[in-house]
Amino acid sequence: MSTTVDVAVLGSGAAGLTAAIVAAEGGGEVGLYEKADQLGGTSAWSGGHVWVPDNPHMAAVGASDSPEQAFSYIMSLSRGLLEERLVQRYVEASPEMVRFLDAEAGTEFYAVADFPDYHPEHPGGLPGGGRTIECPLYPFVELGDWRELVTLSPYYPSPHFTMSETPLGRAVPWKVPRDERERRRTRDERGMGQALVGRLLRACLDRGIEPAVSHRARQLILEDGRVAGVRFDTPAGPREVRARRGVVLATGGFEWNEEYKRAFLRGPATHPVSVTTNTGDGLYMAMQAGAMLNNMREAWWTPVAELPSGLNDPMNRALIAGDRTRPRTIMVNREGRRFTNEAANYNAFGGAFHQEDVTRFEYANLPCWVVFDQEYVRRYGVLDVYRPGEGGPDWLTRGETLAELASALDLPAGALEATVSRWNEHVADGHDPDFARGESAFDRWWGDPDCKGQVNATLGPLDSPPFYALPVRSGMLGTKGGPRVDPDARVLDLDGEAIDGLYAAGNVMASPFGMTYGGGGGTLGPAMTFGYLAGRDLAH
Ligand SMILES: Cc1cc2nc3c(=O)[nH]c(=O)nc-3n(C[C@H](O)[C@H](O)[C@H](O)COP(=O)(O)OP(=O)(O)OC[C@H]3O[C@@H](n4cnc5c(N)ncnc54)[C@H](O)[C@@H]3O)c2cc1C
């Protein structure tokens, strides 16, 4: 079966949905094709934060910005890896993208108050936040039968909260009044990535774009030096779709493709937390079309806690962010030593997992554990899977004393006690001379919300037995290397020329951000902006 459309968009995450909405502006016919049997990709599992410098909503939370300030911030994180023209375009186009989606797709973005950038002390960084935006709850009843097709995250057990209502956003979901919670359930009002994807999907449907699921794009149709369409595998057999204007790759990263990870990534990356259909199909197609690649060794790194089977199925893993930042936690390696600022942003933290012990030819900080005490469990619970209270979950490694815990983890005798004793002395002094934990506004925001902005939001002693340990692994939200693009999201060939008819957006493309993660929403920001740019070029 062969169909012809004006624009074929591959992948239904935020990048693909945005590209499809904008591409339809010129009145052309847009086809949206998704490999999985559900829609939304990792974007639907995400917190739904979008990082947009100088966005139209930041004034409402008392923040201000300028394109120059944003540009200098991003470039301060470059390490010589960023292409200035892409950063420039991002800074110009991302607020435009927000204005467009608010006006045309009902996104209703608002700025999350006080959420600092991830390197707020860098030049142009905003310690007081304002660049991170999110959508309010979206009633999924408005999607009709399509709502069943949006994939639900294993990481956020209830979708009925916005990110700013979760502990991560400094509020607590269980404090939402009962009648309000009831209304949310009845209307199936969903927040975070669900609210974002739900709205973008509605905007597609309103434009007559009905996504086709279980369509795995396998091959681009190349004719006379241009991309003229796509071949799919579907449950009904092969299908060909021809695209008069072009094809947008929005197929996510290659984090579930072991061969590509071995070939390209800079270090161990054993625990992705994205949808498992992100196997690098877009990368394969781009390489086939002769694309130049860039940023291949990079990912949006994140520490991931390993959970026993039965928790957060089917992945049995959880992102660990606030939980390693709050007081009464430290992280130790197999030497029983701390090895970094535990409160550092999750992307930068990836570097700690890639550090080599050159003498032993081993990764210095893998395996590692987050270690905490009973008072921690009483105050904060464990991840989002064990509520605050007495006792501790039986799936944690536990010791009545530090020595007992160290022995259970097979750490060298005495090392853990020495580490904890040194840590407790730093806490008493109110600063961490070893790793500067608590010095950045970032560390103080992600710690205990009751001490927000103070150093004791993150510094606290481990002095209340029993003690617990949870294994932490090198994970990723997705990879961020792929075909190189120009400022209109057109894929470039080996000579830097645009490949006619081929665009890329989101984690499939070489990120304009190199190694960095600017702030909360730092992956969805560029994914949606380059989706917007691809759609705009294709619409006209
Ligand atoms: C728990 C969690 C929280 C997060 N929170 C945030 C946050 O708040 N802010 C932020 O910026 N980032 C966040 N992230 C990261 C963010 O979700 C991803 O970086 C982002 O969603 C990537 O968007 P995308 O459109 O490129 O890919 P995806 O959303 O993953 O979409 C790619 C889609 O392409 C489909 N696909 C793959 N191959 C093919 C093919 N051959 N044919 C057709 N379709 C194909 C996939 O099935 C998938 O549906 C979070 C991630 C996780 C896991």
Side-chain angles (χ1 to χ4, degrees):
M1 177 171 66
S2 176
T3 318
T4 302
V5 293
D6 290 303
V7 177
V9 179
L10 313 179
S12 67
L17 291 167
T18 305
I21 294 164
V22 186
E25 280 297 289
E29 192 182 342
V30 178
L32 176 55
Y33 306 94
E34 167 56 52
K35 170 182 178 178
D37 57 5
Q38 287 200 298
L39 298 167
T42 316
S43 307
W45 290 8
S46 77
H49 280 147
V50 187
W51 191 74
V52 179
D54 201 23
N55 70 66
H57 301 294
M58 53 198 305
V61 294
S64 66
D65 201 0
S66 70
E68 296 73 30
Q69 187 174 351
F71 181 78
S72 65
Y73 172 60
I74 299 171
M75 291 311 294
S76 81
L77 304 167
S78 167
R79 297 185 166 180
L81 296 177
L82 303 195
E83 275 193 62
E84 285 199 10
R85 63 180 190 152
L86 293 184
V87 174
Q88 197 70 53
R89 181 55 70 90
Y90 179 69
V91 166
E92 287 159 14
S94 56
E96 259 174 57
M97 176 273 291
V98 171
R99 285 193 189 89
F100 173 86
L101 291 179
D102 279 345
E104 305 296 332
T107 38
E108 302 179 72
F109 283 116
Y110 61 90
V112 180
D114 307 325
F115 192 178
D117 284 338
Y118 282 7
H119 300 275
E121 287 79 23
H122 269 243
L126 293 186
R131 289 172 174 156
T132 298
I133 57 177
E134 70 172 341
C135 295
L137 294 164
Y138 177 68
F140 263 52
V141 287
E142 292 189 7
L143 286 175
D145 292 345
W146 286 93
R147 78 169 149 162
E148 305 301 334
L149 279 183
V150 177
T151 178
L152 269 167
S153 160
Y155 307 113
Y156 300 115
S158 167
H160 299 127
F161 305 103
T162 64
M163 195 67 163
S164 41
E165 288 174 332
T166 65
L168 186 63
R170 329 318 293 151
V172 274
W174 49 91
K175 290 202 173 152
V176 174
R178 186 180 288 273
D179 55 342
E180 161 85 10
R181 299 182 84 169
E182 205 37 54
R183 195 204 70 222
R184 293 180 183 195
R185 279 204 193 88
T186 315
R187 285 162 39 90
D188 196 4
E189 293 182 8
R190 302 188 198 170
M192 301 192 273
Q194 296 283 306
L196 176 66
V197 164
R199 283 182 167 84
L200 297 178
L201 175 57
R202 183 67 260 168
C204 283
L205 298 171
D206 290 344
R207 285 159 177 75
I209 306 166
E210 296 205 343
V213 293
S214 303
H215 273 59
R216 179 181 190 179
R218 292 307 292 257
Q219 207 180 25
L220 296 172
I221 301 170
L222 298 165
E223 280 173 4
D224 305 325
R226 75 177 300 272
V227 173
V230 189
R231 295 197 178 90
F232 294 92
D233 282 351
T234 79
R239 180 177 176 195
E240 195 174 280
V241 172
R242 302 190 67 80
R244 292 185 200 96
R245 293 187 201 160
V247 173
V248 183
L249 302 173
T251 49
F254 57 86
E255 59 274 7
W256 289 98
N257 184 319
E258 292 306 319
E259 193 187 341
Y260 285 0
K261 284 201 291 185
R262 263 199 307 277
F264 297 120
L265 289 183
R266 76 178 198 209
T270 48
H271 284 63
V273 284
S274 60
V275 292
T276 55
T277 39
N278 287 351
T279 55
D281 296 347
L283 175 60
Y284 174 87
M285 289 184 275
M287 290 194 288
Q288 221 185 19
M292 176 63 191
L293 306 181
N294 203 3
N295 212 36
M296 292 308 292
R297 62 197 191 129
E298 283 306 322
W300 307 104
W301 307 107
T302 186
V304 168
E306 202 166 59
L307 302 175
S309 138
L311 287 172
N312 282 10
D313 280 337
M315 308 274 208
N316 311 122
R317 57 190 71 169
L319 277 83
I320 176 160
D323 312 82
R324 60 187 158 79
T325 308
R326 294 186 198 113
R328 298 179 172 274
T329 60
I330 55 170
M331 288 177 71
V332 297
N333 59 16
R334 69 162 86 76
E335 297 298 320
R337 297 206 185 105
R338 289 180 70 216
F339 53 90
T340 190
N341 172 7
E342 295 87 347
N345 82 66
Y346 39 86
N347 181 64
F349 207 105
F353 293 138
H354 300 157
Q355 195 177 318
E356 289 273 3
D357 178 332
V358 290
T359 310
R360 295 183 176 177
F361 195 58
E362 286 172 348
Y363 288 111
N365 303 317
L366 286 171
C368 67
W369 297 265
V370 61
V371 174
F372 44 96
D373 71 356
Q374 183 62 46
E375 181 58 16
Y376 176 91
V377 177
R378 192 188 69 75
R379 287 191 199 175
Y380 311 114
V382 183
L383 303 164
D384 281 334
V385 294
Y386 188 82
R387 285 273 183 93
E390 299 300 326
D394 54 12
W395 42 266
L396 287 171
T397 307
R398 170 189 169 124
E400 292 308 316
T401 60
L402 287 167
E404 202 178 295
L405 184 67
S407 152
L409 299 176
D410 208 16
L411 305 181
L416 185 61
E417 290 100 311
T419 298
V420 170
S421 159
R422 185 173 167 81
W423 167 253
N424 288 350
E425 281 168 28
H426 296 339
V427 172
D429 290 346
H431 93 120
D432 169 23
D434 293 339
F435 297 106
R437 175 165 160 187
E439 280 180 23
S440 169
F442 178 88
D443 306 0
R444 297 173 183 204
W445 189 88
W446 285 71
D448 184 334
D450 292 336
C451 322
K452 191 173 147 185
Q454 300 163 34
V455 73
N456 59 348
T458 185
L459 299 191
L462 277 80
D463 58 7
S464 144
F467 300 95
Y468 300 93
L470 179 64
V472 178
R473 307 286 185 221
S474 176
M476 58 192 18
L477 306 175
T479 54
K480 63 192 300 201
R484 194 176 158 224
V485 298
D486 75 2
D488 290 318
R490 297 183 303 170
V491 172
L492 300 176
D493 69 13
L494 301 181
D495 299 313
E497 298 294 326
I499 299 174
D500 199 9
L502 189 60
Y503 295 74
N507 289 351
V508 70
M509 76 175 232
S511 171
F513 285 176
M515 291 175 77
T516 72
Y517 202 121
T523 89
L524 286 169
M528 294 173 66
T529 301
F530 281 84
Y532 168 80
L533 290 166
R536 201 173 67 175
D537 210 59
L538 283 159
H540 303 295

